[in-house]
C-alpha cells in the first residue's frame, strides 16, 4: 500500500455516513490535517474575518486544514486558501474506522472509479471514511482513495470467529451438492463442489462449518450438508478367518475382483474345476491366489479340496547283516548359530537406549518382543509406518497429522495426554509405540485379535500390511494403498526380517 502514498492526495466529493454528533476542530494543529465538511455546504471566505465571500464547498468535501484560530479554520483546496467555520468540519482521523478489503480489487484516485488506481488484495487493512451508494472513501497512511463499497467491511462488522473442535470421522454428503471453500466463509475462494453420497473425512468442525478431506484435498463446507457415517461394527472384522488351504472352483464360472466388492475392478473369471489357494475368508468373500496373482471371489463359488492320503508301502524284510565291530564315532562339532545383523533387545528400555539400532529396527524389535506379534505382522505394520512417516515420530503433515502413524490432531492430543500420564515423551518413538500397543490391546481389540491369528509367511506379511492399512490407518483410496503397503511388507521387509 506504500504505492498509495504518491497517488492519493486529495478528496473531491463523497457522502459520509457518520453519527449525528461530530465534534469541532481542536484549537491548534502541530501540522496540516485533512478534514471533511459536515454541513450540507460551508461558505469559504478570502479573509480570516470572513467578510469577503470566496465560494461554497459541498458536504463531505475533503479540505486540508492548515491552522485554526478560535472558531475559524484556514483551509486549502486545489492549491487555493480560504477561511471557514470550524463547526462545519471534522477531522478524518476522528471519523475513520478500521476496515478490511473482502476481495481482490482496485482503489482509485477519483471517486468516479476511473483513471489512476492501485491493486489491493483481499484481507488488506485500511480505514473506511465514507460510503456513498456503491462507492466507498477509504484512507491509508493519510492518503485518500475510492473503491467499490461491497468490497470493504468494517472490522467491527466482521462475523464472530467460530470455535472449531478437532474430529476424526467419516461423513457422507446428504445434500444434492455442497460447495467447498478455502476458508470457513462463503466469501473465500471457491474450491469446487461435492455430490450427494460422497464420503469425506471430517478433520474438525464448528457450529456452521466442517473442515473436510477428500483424497489429498482439503476445504470447508457447510456442516449441515453432512451426515456422520456410522462406524463399522466389530462383528464384520471378527468374522474374518485367516486360514490357508487349497480349493476348487465349484461354480460353472467365478468372477475375481480387486477387493471384496462387486463394485471393485473385475480381474478375471475362473472356470469350474480350477484350483486356487484360499488365504482368508468371511461369510461372503474369500481372498484367493493363483500363480502369484491375488484377488477376491464369492466364497460360495469355492469348495475346499480334500487331499487323498498316499498309501504307505509295506517294507520287505531285509536280511540280517553279519555283525561287525562298531567304529567309534568322531566327535561332531557343535554348529555355530548364524549371526544376525543386529540382535533385537528384549526389554523396552534396551530397545530405545540402543543407539546402534535405527528407528526401523527399533520398531521391529518392539513389535515382535513387546507386542508379541509374528515377524510377518511386524513387517505389515512397518510397511504402514514407513508409508505414513518414514519411522519419524516427529513427522507432522501440512494437514496437521502427527507421529509415526500420522494420527489426527484430536487423536494426537489424546496420545499426548496418555504419554505424559505415564512419563513418556509423546514426540518420542518409545512413547508412540507404547501408545500403539495400548491402543490395539485395550481400545481396538478386534484388530489386535485379527493380527494375532495371522501366520508367519511372506503372504502373511502382505495380509498384515493390507489389513493394518485398510482397518487401522484407513487412508483415502484405502484399497489401493492397502495393496501397495502389503506388497512392501512382503517384498521389502519380509526378505529382510523374515524367518
Amino acid at each position: 500500500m506504500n504505492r498509495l502514498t504518491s497517488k492519493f492526495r486529495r478528496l473531491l466529493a463523497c457522502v459520509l455516513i457518520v453519527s449525528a454528533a461530530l465534534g469541532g476542530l481542536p484549537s491548534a494543529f502541530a501540522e496540516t490535517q485533512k478534514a471533511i465538511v459536515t454541513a450540507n455546504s460551508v461558505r469559504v471566505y478570502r479573509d480570516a474575518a470572513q467578510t469577503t465571500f470566496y465560494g461554497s464547498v459541498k458536504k463531505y468535501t475533503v479540505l486540508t486544514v492548515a491552522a485554526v484560530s478560535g472558531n475559524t479554520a484556514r483551509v486549502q483546496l486545489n492549491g487555493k486558501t480560504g477561511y471557514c467555520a470550524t463547526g462545519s468540519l471534522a477531522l478524518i482521523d476522528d471519523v475513520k474506522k478500521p476496515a478490511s478489503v473482502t476481495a481482490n480489487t482496485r482503489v482509485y484516485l477519483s471517486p468516479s472509479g476511473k483513471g489512476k488506481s492501485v491493486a489491493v488484495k483481499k484481507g488488506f487493512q485500511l480505514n473506511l471514511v465514507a460510503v456513498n451508494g456503491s462507492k466507498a472513501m477509504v484512507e491509508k497512511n493519510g492518503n485518500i482513495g475510492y473503491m467499490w463499497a461491497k468490497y470493504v467491511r468494517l472490522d467491527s462488522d466482521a462475523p464472530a470467529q467460530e470455535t472449531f473442535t478437532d474430529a476424526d470421522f467419516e461423513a457422507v454428503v446428504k445434500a444434492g451438492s455442497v460447495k467447498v471453500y478455502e476458508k470457513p466463509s462463503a466469501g473465500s475462494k471457491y474450491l469446487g463442489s461435492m455430490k450427494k453420497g460422497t464420503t469425506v473425512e471430517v478433520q474438525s468442525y464448528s457450529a456452521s462449518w466442517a473442515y473436510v478431506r477428500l483424497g489429498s484435498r482439503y476445504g470447508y463446507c457447510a456442516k449441515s450438508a453432512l451426515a456422520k457415517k456410522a462406524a463399522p461394527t466389530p462383528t464384520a472384522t471378527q468374522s474374518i478367518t485367516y486360514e490357508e488351504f487349497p480349493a476348487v472352483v465349484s461354480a460353472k464360472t467365478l468372477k475375481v475382483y480387486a477387493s471384496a466388492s462387486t463394485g471393485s475392478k473385475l480381474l478375471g473369471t475362473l472356470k469350474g474345476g480350477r484350483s486356487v489357494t484360499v488365504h482368508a475368508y468371511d461369510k461372503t468373500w474369500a481372498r484367493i491366489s493363483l500363480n502369484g496373482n491375488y484377488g477376491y471371489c464369492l466364497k460360495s463359488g469355492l469348495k475346499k479340496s480334500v487331499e487323498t492320503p498316499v498309501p504307505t508301502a509295506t517294507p520287505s524284510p531285509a536280511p540280517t547283516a553279519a555283525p561287525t565291530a562298531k567304529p567309534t564315532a568322531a566327535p561332531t562339532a557343535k554348529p555355530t548359530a548364524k549371526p544376525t545383523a543386529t540382535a533385537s533387545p528384549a526389554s523396552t528400555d534396551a530397545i530405545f537406549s540402543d543407539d546402534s539400532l535405527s528407528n526401523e529396527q527399533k520398531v521391529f524389535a518392539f513389535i515382535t518382543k513387546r507386542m508379541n506379534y509374528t515377524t510377518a505382522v511386524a513387517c505389515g505394520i512397518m510397511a504402514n509406518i514407513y508409508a505414513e512417516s518414514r519411522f519419524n515420530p516427529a513427522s507432522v503433515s501440512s494437514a496437521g497429522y502427527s507421529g509415526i502413524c500420522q494420527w489426527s490432531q484430536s487423536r494426537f492430543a489424546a496420545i499426548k495426554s496418555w504419554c505424559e500420564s505415564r512419563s513418556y515423551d509423546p514426540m518420542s518413538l518409545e512413547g508412540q509405540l507404547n501408545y500403539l500397543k495400548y491402543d490395539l490391546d485395550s481400545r481396538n481389540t478386534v484388530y489386535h485379535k485379527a493380527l494375532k491369528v495371522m501366520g508367519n509367511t511372506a503372504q502373511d506379511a502382505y495380509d498384515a500390511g493390507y489389513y493394518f492399512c485398510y482397518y487401522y490407518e484407513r487412508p483415502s483410496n484405502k484399497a489401493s494403498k492397502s495393496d501397495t503397503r502389503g506388497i512392501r511388507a512382503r517384498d521389502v521387509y519380509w526378505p529382510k526380517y523374515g524367518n
Side-chain angles (χ1 to χ4, degrees):
M1 194 65 179
N2 290 336
R3 295 172 58 191
L4 291 174
T5 303
S6 60
K7 292 181 177 292
F8 303 131
R9 297 185 180 279
R10 61 187 180 274
L11 174 66
L12 300 179
C14 189
V15 177
L16 174 67
I17 300 176
V18 293
S19 58
L22 287 174
L25 297 179
S27 60
F29 286 95
E31 56 185 10
T32 60
Q33 296 192 51
K34 286 185 171 63
I36 53 173
V37 176
T38 59
N40 289 331
S41 67
V42 63
R43 293 171 66 86
V44 180
Y45 298 86
R46 294 180 181 274
D47 58 316
Q50 300 185 33
T51 57
T52 306
F53 179 67
Y54 202 159
S56 297
V57 180
K58 293 181 179 181
K59 187 178 182 180
Y60 302 127
T61 300
V62 173
L63 304 172
T64 299
V65 180
V68 174
S69 177
N71 295 324
T72 302
R74 178 159 57 88
V75 297
Q76 297 172 345
L77 177 63
N78 298 332
K80 297 181 179 180
T81 300
Y83 298 85
C84 67
T86 58
S88 300
L89 303 178
L91 293 176
I92 286 180
D93 285 345
D94 291 341
V95 297
K96 67 183 182 182
K97 296 181 180 180
S100 54
V101 177
T102 60
N104 293 344
T105 186
R106 302 192 74 84
V107 177
Y108 295 86
L109 177 63
S110 168
S112 65
K114 298 179 181 180
K116 294 182 179 181
S117 65
V118 62
V120 290
K121 292 185 177 181
K122 177 182 176 181
F124 183 77
Q125 296 292 311
L126 38 66
N127 295 300
L128 177 62
V129 178
V131 174
N132 179 23
S134 62
K135 301 290 179 61
M137 185 214 328
V138 294
E139 181 272 344
K140 182 73 173 182
N141 298 331
N143 302 295
I144 303 297
Y146 303 87
M147 60 182 292
W148 294 106
K150 64 180 179 180
Y151 295 138
V152 62
R153 180 178 61 197
L154 289 171
D155 290 349
S156 58
D157 293 339
Q161 199 77 358
E162 294 194 46
T163 301
F164 278 79
T165 302
D166 286 339
D168 183 16
F169 61 84
E170 289 186 330
V172 179
V173 176
K174 63 181 182 180
S177 177
V178 59
K179 293 181 178 180
V180 183
Y181 300 92
E182 185 178 37
K183 295 181 180 180
S185 168
S188 64
K189 182 180 179 181
Y190 170 68
L191 301 180
S193 60
M194 300 184 295
K195 295 181 179 180
K196 183 177 181 179
T198 302
T199 298
V200 297
E201 294 182 25
V202 178
Q203 308 295 307
S204 62
Y205 61 89
S206 67
S208 307
W209 295 91
Y211 182 55
V212 300
R213 179 176 78 163
L214 179 59
S216 59
R217 301 168 63 190
Y218 296 82
Y220 292 87
C221 70
K223 179 187 172 187
S224 59
L226 302 178
K228 187 173 181 179
K229 194 172 182 180
T233 57
T235 53
T237 305
Q238 289 176 330
S239 65
I240 298 175
T241 301
Y242 292 89
E243 180 184 359
E244 187 171 308
F245 56 85
V248 177
V249 176
S250 57
K252 187 175 181 180
T253 59
L254 185 61
K255 293 181 178 180
V256 182
Y257 299 91
S259 61
S261 168
T262 55
S264 64
K265 182 180 179 181
L266 178 65
L267 301 180
T269 303
L270 298 176
K271 293 183 178 181
R274 193 67 184 268
S275 296
V276 298
T277 300
V278 175
H279 299 280
Y281 60 89
D282 59 16
K283 291 181 180 180
T284 307
W285 293 92
R287 187 167 186 274
I288 63 173
S289 68
L290 176 62
N291 299 327
N293 299 308
Y294 293 83
Y296 293 82
C297 68
L298 293 175
K299 180 188 172 187
S300 59
L302 298 175
K303 183 178 181 180
K304 190 173 184 178
S305 297
V306 179
E307 297 183 1
T308 304
V310 179
T312 304
T314 304
S316 301
T320 304
T324 57
K326 186 177 181 180
T328 302
T332 304
K334 187 176 181 180
T336 303
K338 184 179 179 181
T340 57
T342 306
S344 297
S347 73
T348 305
D349 290 341
I351 292 173
F352 299 105
S353 62
D354 189 345
D355 293 336
S356 67
L357 297 178
S358 65
N359 277 7
E360 176 190 307
Q361 292 169 325
K362 291 177 181 179
V363 170
F364 175 76
F366 186 88
I367 294 173
T368 54
K369 301 299 182 182
R370 286 283 285 122
M371 299 176 75
N372 295 319
Y373 288 131
T374 64
T375 298
V377 172
C379 291
I381 296 176
M382 289 165 66
N384 278 273
I385 292 177
Y386 172 85
E388 295 291 339
S389 65
R390 300 298 193 270
F391 302 101
N392 179 12
S395 175
V396 179
S397 73
S398 58
Y401 289 85
S402 304
I404 56 174
C405 291
Q406 290 295 276
W407 289 286
S408 67
Q409 292 180 8
S410 58
R411 188 77 174 277
F412 200 76
I415 293 172
K416 182 179 179 182
S417 177
W418 185 91
C419 286
E420 290 176 346
S421 68
R422 292 162 176 80
S423 300
Y424 290 123
D425 178 0
M427 298 305 296
S428 71
L429 188 63
E430 181 178 14
Q432 292 176 24
L433 283 174
N434 272 283
Y435 176 82
L436 178 62
K437 180 181 184 300
Y438 158 78
D439 194 29
L440 291 171
D441 286 350
S442 306
R443 299 179 70 251
N444 288 293
T445 56
V446 171
Y447 307 147
H448 169 67
K449 291 176 181 177
L451 294 170
K452 287 294 286 185
V453 299
M454 290 185 181
N456 199 31
T457 66
Q459 183 56 44
D460 291 311
Y462 174 93
D463 291 344
Y466 190 102
Y467 181 90
F468 193 85
C469 177
Y470 197 91
Y471 290 103
Y472 187 83
E473 291 290 354
R474 294 181 292 123
S476 58
N477 302 320
K478 61 182 180 181
S480 173
K481 290 181 180 178
S482 295
D483 182 62
T484 299
R485 298 180 189 187
I487 291 172
R488 183 174 186 85
R490 183 190 65 202
D491 297 348
V492 176
Y493 294 121
W494 179 255
K496 187 174 182 180
Y497 294 97
N499 298 328

